[in-house]
Amino acid sequence: MDRHIVPGIEAKHAAEAHREDLKIQDLYGCRCMTYWVDEARGSAFCLIDAPNEEAVIKLHEKAHGLLPYEIIQVNSNVVEAFLGRIHDPESYSLSSGENLKVFNDPAFRVILKTQTSNHRLLVHTYGLEKAQKLVNLYNQTIQEQLKKHEGRQVELPDPGCVISFISVSQAIQYAISVQKSLHLAAELLDLRIGIHAGIPVDNNNMIFGDTMKFANYLCGIGKGGQIIMSSLIHELSKEDHNRMEGSSFIVNIDSFQENILEHLMNTLLDNWQDQKFGVSDYCNAMGMSQSQLYRKCLDITGISPNELLREFRLNKSLEYLNTARNISETSFECGFNSPSYFTKCFQNRFGLQPLAFLKIGV
């Protein structure tokens, strides 16, 4: 999938360019499957079955000269899950006298991400039977509300659920319905829901990569039973504000907080495995004094920078232990300087030792 930035583009322009691509696609071993055009944002996205990026560039250059701004590899099943199709839509108009199929289908989507407590931790806390009932209730609710609010679930190797919506209203009402349906179970599951929106090709090598990443960041700063919305979602949902009043579990962050959060989390992603990376290094990377970093981190995440770093590493350790890594490997790969210190932190945070965690059947 590629992205073209074309200010002032109209649906007819995209249809004409696509027609020119189709004429010579065989010369470059390509199959131009479909496209999306977003007049409001001056962008177009092409889905092409091609041998490599170079073939895509040469095809576009020869056909109409509109070179892509970025190209990423995608799985057609994932594209269909996010965007609803991998071929031209059935609904289109014919341009007068040209027999040209014209459609205006933006690729902009609202992405909802859920996060729950680790399954083994649920079993440790509530016992196997109750934990399984909570998980079953969660899965059942996710699917029931999906049908009602016209969302599309995307199957990804990622903890939690990723769901794509065409409209902000659908995403918000879905999130509210899930939280209300689960009620107290949402808190027991430590369910957080993050909602953000964006385009499929966005400076990340995964489709909707940056959008999903930030939705995940939003989940990370929430509490069990909360819905955390980005500033973009808040801005786009003004018509829904009346319906959201009284929903105490909805949290909005502003654009300033968003920038700080993104900087905080991106810095963590770059350094969390470095055993020598501490708060002073965090300050240097963020360009802030220790007091500034403390205040901003506490304001946005509710915890100190040191706690945020430790929490991030411990949550990553759960993922590593779930993939059959041993305790020693996990401790070093997650930035702890010794297995004994890792075990102590793990025990303090989760109420059991890593070895006991590994022995829990799921």
Side-chain angles (χ1 to χ4, degrees), residues 24-215:
I24 62 170
Q25 61 181 355
D26 292 341
L27 296 177
Y28 300 94
C30 296
R31 183 166 62 97
C32 299
M33 299 170 68
T34 190
Y35 67 92
W36 290 261
V37 57
D38 192 334
E39 295 179 339
R41 298 173 181 84
S43 296
F45 304 87
C46 303
L47 182 63
I48 303 175
D49 184 2
N52 49 52
E53 292 185 11
E54 185 181 5
V56 173
I57 294 171
K58 287 184 175 180
L59 166 66
H60 285 323
E61 185 176 30
K62 181 68 174 178
H64 42 66
L66 296 173
L67 298 183
Y69 174 76
E70 187 177 2
I71 304 172
I72 62 170
Q73 291 187 10
V74 293
N75 178 295
S76 60
N77 292 329
V78 175
V79 173
E80 187 168 15
F82 271 118
L83 295 170
R85 62 182 181 85
I86 55 173
H87 302 292
D88 291 350
E90 296 179 3
S91 170
Y92 58 85
S93 61
L94 288 174
S95 180
S96 178
E98 296 185 61
N99 198 30
L100 181 68
K101 290 195 301 185
V102 180
F103 53 88
N104 185 1
D105 182 15
F108 186 81
R109 291 292 185 272
V110 180
I111 305 301
L112 182 147
K113 177 75 169 62
T114 72
Q115 180 178 299
T116 61
S117 181
N118 179 276
H119 196 168
R120 281 192 168 101
L121 292 180
L122 288 173
V123 172
H124 169 70
T125 305
Y126 303 114
L128 181 59
E129 184 178 352
K130 185 175 180 180
Q132 196 57 53
K133 284 182 179 179
L134 284 170
V135 172
N136 289 343
L137 177 61
Y138 163 74
N139 289 332
Q140 180 183 343
T141 303
I142 287 289
Q143 295 304 318
E144 285 178 353
Q145 297 302 326
L146 205 59
K147 296 175 183 177
K148 293 179 182 178
H149 299 281
E150 300 179 20
R152 301 183 65 90
Q153 187 171 351
V154 185
E155 298 295 335
L156 294 171
D158 188 272
C161 291
V162 175
I163 302 172
S164 172
F165 294 89
I166 293 176
S167 83
V168 172
S169 179
Q170 288 172 334
I172 292 173
Q173 293 309 311
Y174 172 85
I176 292 173
S177 296
V178 166
Q179 293 285 26
K180 285 185 175 179
S181 296
L182 288 172
H183 193 44
L184 291 177
E187 294 185 29
L188 297 179
L189 286 160
D190 195 26
L191 172 64
R192 302 103 177 269
I193 298 177
I195 310 177
H196 192 36
I199 55 177
V201 183
D202 54 11
N203 300 315
N204 190 298
N205 60 6
M206 287 179 57
I207 183 170
F208 287 101
D210 281 349
T211 307
M212 286 195 298
K213 182 169 73 171
F214 194 73

Side-chain angles (χ1 to χ4, degrees), residues 173 176 237-247 250:
Q173 293 309 311
I176 292 173
S237 64
K238 287 181 177 178
E239 295 180 0
D240 294 278
H241 286 182
N242 290 335
R243 277 181 286 176
M244 289 188 290
E245 286 184 4
S247 297
I250 291 181

Side-chain angles (χ1 to χ4, degrees), residues 120 317-326 329-330 358:
R120 281 192 168 101
S317 77
L318 296 175
E319 297 177 23
Y320 276 59
L321 291 172
N322 277 338
T323 59
R325 285 181 173 86
N326 64 38
E329 287 174 333
T330 298
L358 286 172

